[in-house]
Amino acid sequence: MTPPSKSQAKAEAKRAFLIEQATICLAEKGYAHVSLRDIAKESGVSLGILHYYFASKEELMLEVIASYKERFIAELEREVVAAPLDNFFPALAAVLGRSLLEDRKLHRLWYDLQAQALYTPVFLEQVHHTRNRLHDLIARMLKRLQTERGAALAVDVSAASSILYSVIDGMILQCLLDESRTAAEAISRFQLALHHVLESLFSSGSPATHPVERGD
């Protein structure tokens, strides 16, 4: 494989920098309240330079979400799917909890994108792509639990994946909306609910996950 030239490497670094700056702006203020001019100003570049790398705000938003979700999915792959099953639930709870603490604003941006996708067709393909990848990842986790733990699912893998994805997605949204609780309290409730949902998906009882103590 031919290594990139200095000019290509410089352009790629600049593009990555602009995506990083756009991520900060969009995550802080939301899609509807940020313009390309705002992002250019925060990035210290002209609007023309920003337009050179990204044709529209929609294109930049898609790049921001793709970058964030790739990192999030990679964490799940590395720390949960490929991890020893003895540590399956604590690993899953840790990744999701850490993400809620460290990437709270990026999660808000993901829900913003999903809402925009209802009215902006260009976003719909990215939403479907990301959701399908997450469904596939969950399905592989459930199949592994079935095979290596001998725990039978109460429904087929596709249905179980949809249920688990919907619960996780909905619980994360509740955590983001529940300003009356501390982050630690919200995450504790989230992890407890996740444990019980996982148990309910297996007809033979618990898939040998470990419950998380509930906070007051």
Side-chain angles (χ1 to χ4, degrees):
M1 183 176 179
T2 305
S5 66
K6 284 187 177 181
S7 60
Q8 287 176 318
K10 185 177 179 180
E12 289 172 5
K14 187 70 170 181
R15 183 180 176 85
F17 168 75
L18 293 173
I19 292 172
E20 181 181 345
Q21 293 302 303
T23 300
I24 295 170
C25 290
L26 289 165
E28 184 66 35
K29 299 178 182 179
Y31 178 79
H33 303 290
V34 174
S35 67
L36 283 180
R37 191 176 298 278
D38 295 328
I39 295 170
K41 182 179 179 180
E42 291 296 322
S43 304
V45 302
S46 69
L47 184 58
I49 290 294
L50 190 60
H51 269 300
Y52 174 79
Y53 288 94
F54 304 99
S56 64
K57 189 172 77 166
E58 290 84 2
E59 180 184 336
L60 186 50
M61 174 72 157
L62 290 173
E63 290 287 348
V64 166
I65 290 295
S67 176
Y68 155 59
K69 283 298 184 181
E70 282 297 324
R71 176 168 58 83
F72 179 59
I73 290 171
E75 287 181 9
L76 288 171
E77 290 273 9
R78 181 178 63 254
E79 299 185 32
V80 181
V81 177
L85 272 185
D86 288 344
N87 198 43
F88 166 76
F89 182 76
L92 177 60
V95 170
L96 295 174
R98 184 173 68 242
S99 181
L100 273 171
L101 283 174
E102 298 176 1
D103 296 324
R104 187 178 184 87
K105 291 179 180 179
L106 286 174
H107 278 300
R108 287 193 331 199
L109 192 57
W110 167 240
Y111 289 104
D112 193 356
L113 178 71
Q114 292 184 89
Q116 294 291 335
L118 295 173
Y119 307 98
T120 310
V122 70
F123 290 147
L124 197 56
E125 183 178 351
Q126 178 66 47
V127 168
H128 283 319
H129 174 72
T130 300
R131 288 168 64 97
N132 287 340
R133 289 194 63 193
L134 289 167
H135 273 272
D136 177 68
L137 186 147
I138 291 170
R140 285 189 286 126
M141 289 193 295
L142 292 174
K143 287 177 182 177
R144 189 176 173 208
L145 282 171
Q146 276 188 297
T147 301
E148 298 186 30
R149 290 274 170 85
L153 281 166
V155 294
D156 64 68
V157 171
S158 178
S161 300
S162 294
I163 292 168
L164 191 53
Y165 175 87
S166 297
V167 169
I168 292 174
D169 195 56
M171 288 296 295
I172 289 175
L173 180 58
Q174 287 185 43
C175 287
L176 296 178
L177 293 172
D178 192 355
E179 298 292 343
S180 65
R181 296 182 181 276
T182 66
E185 289 173 336
I187 289 169
S188 177
R189 287 171 61 87
F190 171 73
Q191 292 175 339
L192 186 66
L194 180 61
H195 168 74
H196 288 308
V197 170
L198 270 170
E199 280 193 326
S200 71
L201 288 175
F202 286 84
S203 57
S204 58
S206 171
T209 61
H210 302 287
V212 178
E213 293 298 324
R214 182 173 184 172
D216 295 327

